[in-house]
Amino acid sequence: MSATARKARRYNAWTNNSTLEDYSLRYAPKSFRRWSPYVVATTALGGIAYLADFAIGASIAVTHGVPNAIAAILVTAVTVFVTGMPIAYYSARYAIDMDLLTRGAGFGYLGSTITSLIYASFTFIFFALEGAIMAQALESGLGVPLPLGYLICSVVVLPLVVFGMTALSKLQVWTQPIWLVLMVLPFVAIAVQEPGKYAEWLDFAGNNPGGATFSLIGFGLGAGVALSLIAQIGEQVDYLRFMPEKTEKNKVAWWSAVISAGPGWVVLGGLKQLGGAFLAFFVAGQVGLTKAVEPIEQYIGGFGVIIPAGVVALAVFFVILSQIKINVTNAYSGSLSWANFFSRILHRHPGRVVWIFFNVGIALALMELGVFGLLNMVLGFYSNVAIAWIGAVVADLVVNKPLKLSPSYIEFKRAHLYNFNPVGFGSMLIASAVSVLAFFNVFGDLAQAFSPFIALGLAFVLSPLIAWLTKGKYYIARVDDLPEPLVVNGGLNPAELVCVSCGMSYERPDMASCSFHEGAICSLCCSLDAACHDSCKQNPRDALLTISRRREPVPEPKEETAAGM
């Protein structure tokens, strides 16, 4: 296509502002990753302040009894840690988010669209659950009606999320010490004043008709609920992509941050679930089993051991602080996943900020519909699909790549990917379909209880099997033939290339050669182009070009509005 026959692309002010946009659809460039490993890790772990863990642990204990709850939580924690480690490492190493990682880990450019929906669902389901917990606190402490509380809890996070990592890093770093002290305080107080309660807790049966005894069915059903949090690693790597480059000087800090803020989130998460199970037992005699699963009631009872006067106010403050810390993360990650989804479906990108409101709006609707009351059912069903996705990604990273069934690197750019890769996409669909059937008791009670493990096992086996059968040929549609840019400033500054489509400069990992536009194109402009019809992949030999071919000046750009281009 002649350069003079096209108009250059220009994005609106929201999309063009790196502070607001946070490279939502791109590789995070070195020049933007200016935070230390400690700040990145603290910001990522700040989102782990959520109290849904307390509600989940309490719900499992009340439904299946403490012995089953403890076993389910511990096995889940090990599973989540093992699956989360390779995802965290590859994201931090390649400076890409969960969606871009999924594209290159066996799903293809359009194949990962469905996983963007799965991830977006995770963010708005948990935003709704966390918002409901916060609204319960407003109702208990201030008498705010739940419907109004849901609205308040949705709106309050928006100003912080708009400014992305820049604002969120400050919020999480400064509030983390306060949150940690308040979270632990009731457990320490109970251990000092009523230590016998911890021994009594082990005999807590809740509503389990079998009593406080271990059963495979109870364990499996409890683990299925807890495993719904396996997709939390996506929110962790949304921050880990901003890790600085690993060097000899910072490698200890780098690895510490990646491990603690990546899969390490589940250590604290598992402890919180156990804590929720304990506090539910502790307050059940006062508030009943139904209310005992609500974190606000748990902390009113827990803080009451220390300060009977003003306990409600302290509990409300703690819950509000916790829920703001997590829901800014849910809203932020949701904006990334929706931006990735719609950029591929509609070839439009009005900016990450637009999708914040969209994601929060869905979460608000779920809150108003009473999603908290369906906690076990919603999370139990969701975990089957989420685990199949994570299992397929992990299998590619830890099995396919070492066996050379897939490329050793992560390729995320449209210009180099097939639209669909049967390795990850196919294994996820098959595994999730079988596990969902199991979840609805098609294969019996035992298979129903262990349906999430069926999803994980099937996805993990099918991914390398399909990669072997297809000989890995659906990973890379064409080779990366873009010439390397000249090193500038003695290599101290990242080398950049000018995008032939938008005229902006980006670092080399974000660029590809484009035969349609006859030049180097950035990954976002490549994603949004609806006119090229993937011609570079249909005629890969014609895609080979030299950037010096392009000599014509770029026409005056036409600005893209929030409604489109």
Side-chain angles (χ1 to χ4, degrees):
M1 179 180 181
S2 172
T4 57
R6 66 169 180 82
K7 289 185 177 180
R9 183 188 305 275
R10 185 173 178 181
Y11 299 100
N12 62 56
W14 283 356
T15 310
N16 235 16
N17 187 325
S18 61
T19 300
L20 301 183
E21 187 65 6
D22 261 5
Y23 296 90
S24 60
L25 303 182
R26 303 180 184 274
Y27 156 85
K30 293 180 183 179
S31 58
F32 188 72
R33 288 181 271 143
R34 57 186 180 273
W35 297 278
S36 68
Y38 169 78
V39 170
V40 174
T42 304
T43 304
L45 287 173
I48 308 305
Y50 58 83
L51 298 183
D53 269 332
F54 285 87
I56 288 171
S59 180
I60 297 172
V62 167
T63 305
H64 304 292
V66 166
N68 291 313
I70 292 175
I73 290 167
L74 293 179
V75 170
T76 295
V78 173
T79 304
V80 171
F81 189 94
V82 171
T83 57
M85 188 63 238
I87 292 175
Y89 168 73
Y90 275 90
S91 175
R93 177 183 175 186
Y94 288 97
I96 53 178
D97 66 13
M98 192 67 197
D99 182 81
L100 302 189
L101 179 66
T102 301
R103 291 184 197 178
F107 282 76
Y109 179 71
L110 291 179
S112 64
T113 304
I114 190 171
T115 66
S116 292
L117 279 178
I118 295 171
Y119 185 32
S121 300
F122 175 86
T123 64
F124 64 66
I125 286 173
F126 277 91
F127 188 105
L129 292 175
E130 305 295 350
I133 291 170
M134 184 172 169
Q136 292 164 359
L138 293 177
E139 183 185 43
S140 296
L142 304 175
V144 178
L146 281 178
L148 178 59
Y150 295 149
L151 178 62
I152 293 171
C153 297
S154 300
V155 172
V156 71
V157 304
L158 294 176
L160 291 166
V161 183
V162 164
F163 291 96
M165 180 68 173
T166 303
L168 299 185
S169 60
K170 296 177 182 177
L171 168 73
Q172 304 293 16
V173 168
W174 285 103
T175 58
Q176 196 74 341
I178 300 172
W179 175 81
L180 279 170
V181 169
L182 291 177
M183 184 194 71
V184 173
L185 202 54
F187 299 98
V188 175
I190 294 170
V192 171
Q193 298 190 27
E194 301 183 56
K197 289 293 184 182
Y198 286 97
E200 294 176 26
W201 170 58
L202 298 176
D203 295 322
F204 178 63
N207 288 322
N208 185 8
T213 57
F214 177 81
S215 71
L216 277 177
I217 299 294
F219 160 70
L221 290 173
V225 175
L227 276 170
S228 64
L229 289 165
I230 198 169
Q232 176 65 34
I233 190 62
E235 295 196 347
Q236 301 307 112
V237 302
D238 282 342
Y239 294 114
L240 286 179
R241 67 195 175 107
F242 296 122
M243 284 286 291
E245 291 286 295
K246 181 168 73 72
T247 64
E248 279 298 314
K249 184 178 180 180
N250 74 357
K251 65 180 181 180
V252 173
W254 193 92
W255 274 111
S256 299
V258 169
I259 294 172
S260 61
W265 77 265
V266 79
V267 176
L268 181 57
L271 290 174
K272 288 194 298 170
Q273 289 174 25
L274 292 173
F278 172 74
L279 289 178
F281 149 76
F282 186 74
V283 303
Q286 301 171 342
V287 301
L289 291 177
T290 301
K291 299 286 285 184
V293 302
E294 297 180 6
I296 181 61
E297 297 294 344
Q298 295 172 9
Y299 268 85
I300 288 175
F303 285 139
V305 176
I306 313 165
I307 46 166
V311 63
V312 174
L314 181 60
V316 169
F317 170 77
F318 172 71
V319 172
I320 291 175
L321 176 65
S322 301
Q323 301 317 90
I324 289 177
K325 281 169 70 64
I326 177 54
N327 265 354
V328 294
T329 295
N330 283 327
Y332 176 73
S333 293
S335 70
L336 298 181
S337 56
W338 285 121
N340 275 292
F341 175 77
F342 283 111
S343 68
R344 281 168 287 174
I345 299 300
L346 303 178
H347 295 284
R348 297 286 188 272
H349 183 54
R352 179 188 67 83
V353 173
V354 170
W355 304 119
I356 296 172
F357 294 91
F358 182 74
N359 198 58
V360 171
I362 296 175
L364 176 58
L366 288 178
M367 282 187 268
E368 300 290 358
L369 291 172
V371 68
F372 188 84
L374 301 172
L375 182 69
N376 278 5
M377 174 61 72
V378 170
L379 297 186
F381 172 79
Y382 175 79
S383 65
N384 291 279
V385 182
I387 288 170
W389 162 41
I390 296 297
V393 171
V394 172
D396 185 81
L397 299 178
V398 303
V399 179
N400 298 356
K401 292 191 182 308
L403 294 180
K404 303 188 184 303
L405 296 173
S406 69
S408 61
Y409 59 96
I410 301 295
E411 179 55 77
F412 64 89
K413 295 182 283 292
R414 174 191 180 187
H416 300 149
L417 293 173
Y418 284 98
N419 283 333
F420 292 94
N421 186 341
V423 175
F425 186 72
S427 59
M428 183 196 72
L429 286 183
I430 296 171
S432 58
V434 173
S435 65
V436 167
L437 289 175
F439 177 78
F440 286 109
N441 207 23
V442 173
F443 308 122
D445 292 342
L446 192 61
Q448 180 184 40
F450 285 88
S451 61
F453 293 98
I454 292 174
L456 181 62
L458 269 179
F460 200 83
V461 170
L462 287 173
S463 175
L465 177 61
I466 297 174
W468 177 72
L469 290 174
T470 59
K471 296 179 171 51
K473 66 180 181 179
Y474 293 103
Y475 280 91
I476 304 298
R478 70 177 179 94
V479 297
D480 184 354
D481 50 37
L482 184 65
E484 292 292 334
L486 296 175
V487 175
V488 294
N489 194 22
L492 296 177
N493 295 331
E496 294 185 345
L497 291 169
V498 177
C499 175
V500 69
S501 180
C502 66
M504 301 293 289
S505 296
Y506 297 99
E507 293 176 17
R508 173 63 176 82
D510 199 46
M511 305 291 288
S513 62
C514 178
S515 56
F516 185 75
H517 289 292
E518 300 181 347
I521 191 169
C522 70
S523 62
L524 181 54
C525 286
C526 181
S527 290
L528 300 181
D529 200 303
C532 71
H533 302 294
D534 287 339
S535 58
C536 66
K537 290 181 280 190
Q538 296 165 14
N539 304 290
R541 291 185 179 180
D542 295 339
L544 190 60
L545 57 89
T546 304
I547 301 306
S548 60
R549 288 173 54 187
R550 176 161 178 77
R551 290 290 183 265
E552 300 89 347
V554 177
E556 185 65 25
K558 182 179 180 180
E559 183 170 356
E560 176 187 348
T561 65
M565 292 171 283

